Amino acid sequence: MNWKKLFITVFRVAIGWHFLYEGLSKLLATNWSAAGYLSSSTGPFSGFYQWLGGSESIMSVVDPLNIAALILIGLALFLGLAIRFSAISGVVLLLLYYFAHPPFGASLMASTEGSLYIVNKNMIEALALALLLFLKEKGWGLYALSIFSRKKKENEPIVEIGDPGNSRRDAIKNMAAIPALGILGFGALRETQKFGVDTLSGATIKVGGASLKELKGELPKGKIGNHEISRLVAGGNLIGGWAHSRDLQYVPSLFRAYNTEKKIFETLMLAEQAGINTINIGFPTNETMQKYKKLTGSKIKVITQVHPDMENKDYFVNINKAIDFGVDIIQIQGNHCDWLVRDNKLDIIEKMLDHIRSQGYTAGLASHTVDSLIACEEVGIIPDYYMKTMHHDNYWSAHPRENRVPFEVDGKKYADHNRFHDNLFCLYPEKTVEFVERAKVPVMGFKVLAAGAITPEDGFNWAFKNGADFICVGMFDFQVVNDVNITIDTLTNLQGRNREWYG
């Protein structure tokens, strides 16, 4: 047994099958396009890739060429035909993929799955093809059959290796890949046709949702302090895994399982391409956002939520940490604002806002219970902007008004359906609207969908109509473009708003 030849054959066939399968899965996928991948490009050549991805006419050529290249390169490597040319073409194609999302600009400790600093899967496979290119031995393949071999030159000596039976045995080995290819290809086709989904190739897994091509226009922007931000702001709950899923205990872990670091970065890049230029995050997500911005060179604005260290009476520690993370806007977290007001510690809120401003940052104040903001207003504590839960209570899981208690959000969860159980975040909608109407600083509404109990069309319209200048919404990747389009439609057709626009 020629073990070296066997190893190289397996090595070549494995790479060929990867190319071939990627090509076939894209060919069989409904409406597959590389536009999203190219449009979210980062790195030194992002302008070129984004130009490609943003043009439907160019993508109508790029997509078929990409699929054809994958299939032809994979088929040639698998069968062992035109190996040198296929290896060169494969290296070129992989380098094009590599520079679309190069793993540059991060520290040695910052990495995502399959994409370490500088070296990622595309580079490794390109190096493997380069090795195959320079190896004299190519393994068994159709290239060795007489019908594909070069013609013998006149007077060229015939070299016999071993007995004549070797040529027949080699021919059999060279042909062995053909039925194997047929079996694998038939299996992949049958799987795709049966289940309607590609379960093996991550590049072609798609969840329903609108694509960037379906954007209805440019997302309107406003200003908070000196920052121009999109009227629709990305929320941090889904990324952080805080689901507010009422009594569905498995949902937070399901969210975290879906939103891997890679998926978070993909979602953020998609959101930026769709026009969302700001995200509002819980403090624990600061490290992830810092890593994302370093890896991608993103300019997304980060609003971070901070809270005091009450145990050590250090009210500024998290403000200073947030500044070190490089955030853009700082706001006092909603539940901590509620608790401080509930415990009659408004002076701490005032000190925190003053410290944020003294560091040159825009200072926000969030709450779930409107009574907190009213109490601050009465003693003259006014932030640069408010962030307030804003949704109506016309949905099934909202408990009766007569059973609602101020400051119960983020408090005890009751088994009684008539009491709070992570199900309501704007306890007194009319009271909230009344407060927002008289506010003289921008207002950002959040939990506008009551953690998924209200449709975006309804929730967005209610919040904007009742005075919100911005809305903060947690989104999965497949919801991003739809939510942007709904925001555009809502603001274009908005009726009945009495409050003037701030920001």
Side-chain angles (χ1 to χ4, degrees):
M1 172 67 70
N2 189 334
W3 292 104
K4 178 181 178 182
K5 194 165 190 173
L6 176 62
F7 175 80
I8 293 174
T9 302
V10 172
F11 179 69
R12 191 198 72 233
V13 166
I15 298 175
W17 172 244
H18 180 221
F19 271 79
L20 181 60
Y21 187 83
E22 287 285 352
L24 289 175
S25 60
K26 289 171 173 56
L27 180 65
L28 296 172
T30 304
N31 297 324
W32 176 86
S33 176
Y37 180 80
L38 296 175
S39 295
S40 62
S41 174
T42 60
F45 306 109
S46 59
F48 168 70
Y49 288 106
Q50 291 170 11
W51 170 71
L52 291 176
S55 171
E56 290 190 23
S57 59
I58 293 177
M59 290 309 301
S60 67
V61 176
V62 170
D63 284 336
L65 283 177
N66 186 21
I67 293 172
L70 288 168
I71 292 175
L72 293 175
I73 293 170
L75 195 62
L77 290 172
F78 196 104
L79 296 176
L81 277 173
I83 295 173
R84 290 180 59 83
F85 179 77
S86 300
I88 293 172
S89 301
V91 169
V92 171
L93 190 62
L94 287 166
L95 288 178
L96 286 172
Y97 295 161
Y98 176 84
F99 284 107
H101 289 274
F104 299 161
S107 69
L108 292 178
M109 296 302 293
S111 62
T112 58
E113 179 188 2
S115 183
L116 302 178
Y117 183 54
I118 298 178
V119 177
N120 65 10
K121 291 181 285 188
N122 288 328
M123 175 177 279
I124 292 172
E125 193 164 26
L127 291 172
L129 277 179
L131 176 63
L132 182 63
L133 177 64
F134 290 105
L135 285 174
K136 185 175 181 181
E137 176 62 68
K138 304 299 182 188
W140 287 295
L142 295 185
Y143 73 93
L145 298 181
S146 59
I147 56 173
F148 296 110
S149 301
R150 62 184 177 87
K151 292 183 178 180
K152 184 177 75 68
K153 296 180 180 178
E154 191 175 353
N155 299 324
E156 182 178 4
I158 299 176
V159 180
E160 293 285 351
I161 302 176
D163 64 78
N166 281 342
S167 61
R168 291 192 294 273
R169 284 193 290 272
D170 283 345
I172 293 172
K173 291 175 181 176
N174 289 327
M175 295 289 287
I178 295 178
L181 173 64
I183 293 170
L184 290 170
F186 176 75
L189 176 62
R190 185 177 180 184
E191 176 194 275
T192 302
Q193 291 178 335
K194 180 178 179 180
F195 297 105
V197 64
D198 171 13
T199 59
L200 299 180
S201 173
T204 56
I205 291 175
K206 293 181 68 176
V207 183
S211 70
L212 287 169
K213 294 180 180 179
E214 299 174 66
L215 281 173
K216 294 185 176 181
E218 185 176 351
L219 186 61
K221 295 181 176 64
K223 294 191 75 174
I224 289 182
N226 295 322
H227 299 278
E228 185 178 52
I229 70 174
S230 47
R231 295 286 182 187
L232 174 63
V233 173
N237 274 21
L238 295 181
I239 293 175
W242 305 291
H244 296 294
S245 51
R246 299 160 175 85
D247 58 344
L248 299 178
Q249 301 299 321
Y250 67 90
V251 174
S253 58
L254 176 62
F255 280 7
R256 288 189 288 268
Y258 180 80
N259 274 320
T260 61
E261 187 175 77
K262 180 180 179 182
K263 176 58 68 176
I264 289 171
F265 287 7
E266 290 174 351
T267 304
L268 290 169
M269 287 189 287
L270 176 61
E272 289 191 78
Q273 289 296 314
I276 300 172
N277 73 342
T278 306
I279 183 171
N280 192 308
I281 61 171
F283 191 84
T285 311
N286 275 308
E287 189 172 350
T288 299
M289 287 306 305
Q290 184 186 55
K291 184 175 180 179
Y292 167 74
K293 295 183 76 170
K294 284 183 177 180
L295 280 169
T296 64
S298 166
K299 301 301 182 184
I300 192 169
K301 293 183 181 295
V302 176
I303 302 174
T304 194
Q305 304 162 23
V306 298
H307 61 276
D309 180 353
M310 298 301 293
E311 183 177 349
N312 297 309
K313 296 184 179 180
D314 189 342
Y315 310 139
F316 308 146
V317 57
N318 291 318
I319 296 172
N320 297 333
K321 287 181 180 179
I323 293 171
D324 291 339
F325 276 117
V327 305
D328 299 282
I329 299 173
I330 303 174
Q331 73 180 38
I332 299 175
Q333 194 175 28
N335 52 355
H336 283 273
C337 172
D338 290 343
W339 295 335
L340 289 169
V341 172
R342 178 198 64 191
D343 298 338
N344 198 29
K345 296 179 179 178
L346 280 72
D347 59 311
I348 296 177
I349 295 175
E350 186 173 24
K351 289 175 182 177
M352 291 179 69
L353 290 174
D354 288 344
H355 183 70
I356 293 170
R357 287 168 171 150
S358 71
Q359 302 302 307
Y361 284 79
T362 300
L365 182 61
S367 81
H368 298 102
T369 299
V370 69
D371 300 73
S372 300
L373 302 183
I374 293 172
C376 289
E377 178 190 49
E378 289 175 348
V379 297
I381 300 174
I382 307 296
D384 296 323
Y385 72 95
Y386 291 110
M387 185 172 181
K388 176 67 182 73
T389 48
M390 290 187 69
H391 63 74
H392 61 69
D393 57 4
N394 185 25
Y395 57 92
W396 180 81
S397 60
H399 58 289
R401 293 195 178 195
E402 59 270 21
N403 293 342
R404 298 174 195 173
V405 180
F407 310 113
E408 68 179 344
V409 180
D410 294 311
K412 181 180 178 181
K413 297 177 177 63
Y414 294 87
D416 182 356
H417 181 266
N418 292 316
R419 300 295 302 276
F420 175 78
H421 192 89
D422 205 19
N423 63 307
L424 188 68
F425 312 94
C426 185
L427 296 171
Y428 311 106
E430 289 81 6
K431 196 173 182 180
T432 294
V433 172
E434 182 182 330
F435 172 80
V436 170
E437 288 283 351
R438 67 173 183 266
K440 301 301 181 183
V441 296
V443 174
M444 182 180 297
F446 75 112
K447 290 289 189 294
V448 297
L449 305 182
I454 300 171
T455 64
E457 291 84 354
D458 183 9
F460 291 10
N461 184 75
W462 192 92
F464 282 125
K465 177 182 176 180
N466 288 293
D469 301 295
F470 306 87
I471 56 173
C472 178
V473 182
M475 292 169 275
F476 288 111
D477 54 343
F478 54 86
Q479 297 172 318
V480 169
V481 174
N482 285 330
D483 284 350
V484 170
N485 283 339
I486 293 169
T487 303
I488 292 172
D489 286 343
T490 300
L491 292 173
T492 300
N493 303 309
L494 190 64
Q495 296 180 355
R497 179 183 173 108
N498 297 318
R499 181 174 180 256
E500 66 175 285
W501 288 92
Y502 285 82

